[in-house]
Amino acid sequence: MFQFTDDLKTNIQHIDSQHRELVKMVNHTAALGTSNPSKEEMKKCLDFLGEYVVKHFGDEEALQMASAYPYYDHHKHIHDSFIKSFKALYADFEVTGPTSKLAYALSYTVSDWLISHIGGEDVKFGKYFANVMRYDLYEFRAGRETLLLSSFRTSELPLFLSVHYGIPIEHATETAEQLAEGEDCPPYGYKSRTLSLRLRELA
């Protein structure tokens, strides 16, 4: 059974959320491969992947173009190759119907994608994105919102939090990681304040 582990995180909130959904489907598909899946169950998996590749690949490619990702062409080529493999599996399903062999092939294709592409190419893009994109940091306190830090990289956040709140760098790093994952949270040791990290509008 696959798990969405830290080595699969891009730290781009909605991309990681989509990847988590893919992990769930991989595990479900693997289970189908050990049984005699119904046509409805198999179609559900295939339809999910069909919708997933259109939405998810489009989201990733839009972010890559907006951030001038230098490996965009290579990344898109990999996406296109996966779509070709997926269409071949769907064509097999329409001819043979649901079979354990098809479920296994689907599980293998997506599992391989999970390990090689997300854990490699997507994570690499996530690191690039964190280094080039800019964020704003807001603090909510006593019903008021205050802009604390504007147009900064996420790599700059731990040091700022450590100095601004007077907390050890390791605790500031924990807070920064939560924020980078899309969670609004208090700075370490403060309960009456909430921090929110927002991506600046892409040009």
Side-chain angles (χ1 to χ4, degrees):
M1 178 176 287
F2 283 95
Q3 294 183 337
F4 188 79
T5 52
D6 287 345
D7 59 335
L8 294 178
K9 287 182 179 178
T10 66
N11 290 321
I12 304 171
Q13 183 185 8
H14 70 283
I15 297 298
D16 285 339
S17 177
Q18 291 171 351
H19 286 165
R20 286 188 180 92
E21 291 302 309
L22 180 61
V23 169
K24 291 179 184 177
M25 185 54 66
V26 167
N27 290 329
H28 179 65
T29 306
L32 290 181
T34 63
S35 62
N36 292 313
S38 69
K39 185 174 184 178
E40 182 179 348
E41 287 175 316
M42 182 65 72
K43 189 175 187 305
K44 182 180 177 181
C45 289
L46 289 165
D47 286 345
F48 169 86
L49 281 174
E51 293 174 7
Y52 176 90
V53 296
V54 170
K55 169 66 175 165
H56 176 66
F57 289 178
D59 287 351
E60 275 191 359
E61 290 167 12
L63 288 176
Q64 289 174 1
M65 287 189 289
S67 60
Y69 186 49
Y71 303 107
Y72 168 78
D73 288 342
H74 171 69
H75 202 106
K76 188 176 188 319
H77 174 72
I78 297 173
H79 283 176
D80 291 345
S81 295
F82 181 85
I83 291 172
K84 184 177 179 180
S85 297
F86 167 74
K87 286 182 176 178
L89 288 171
Y90 210 114
D92 287 345
F93 169 73
E94 291 179 329
V95 172
T96 66
T99 64
S100 295
K101 182 179 179 181
L102 179 59
Y104 176 80
L106 180 61
S107 176
Y108 176 83
T109 299
V110 180
S111 298
D112 181 64
W113 174 265
L114 194 65
I115 295 169
S116 63
H117 183 73
I118 296 177
E121 295 296 330
D122 286 354
V123 168
K124 182 170 72 173
F125 169 61
K127 291 177 180 177
Y128 168 85
F129 191 82
N131 284 328
V132 301
M133 301 312 292
R134 299 285 181 159
Y135 295 81
D136 293 333
L137 180 68
Y138 290 85
E139 180 189 75
F140 296 87
R141 183 183 182 190
R144 294 185 61 188
E145 177 182 279
T146 304
L147 177 63
L148 292 183
L149 188 63
S150 179
S151 191
F152 68 94
R153 297 183 180 93
T154 54
S155 58
E156 301 165 7
L157 187 54
L159 181 59
F160 171 81
L161 294 174
S162 178
V163 172
H164 184 77
Y165 291 107
I167 58 178
I169 191 67
E170 60 269 23
H171 296 325
T173 300
E174 290 177 23
T175 300
E177 288 174 350
Q178 281 184 274
L179 290 167
E181 290 177 7
E183 299 178 35
D184 290 353
C185 65
Y188 188 91
Y190 291 79
K191 295 183 179 179
S192 61
R193 309 179 190 193
T194 301
L195 298 177
S196 180
L197 188 65
R198 299 178 191 168
L199 178 66
R200 293 181 70 82
E201 289 297 319
L202 298 175

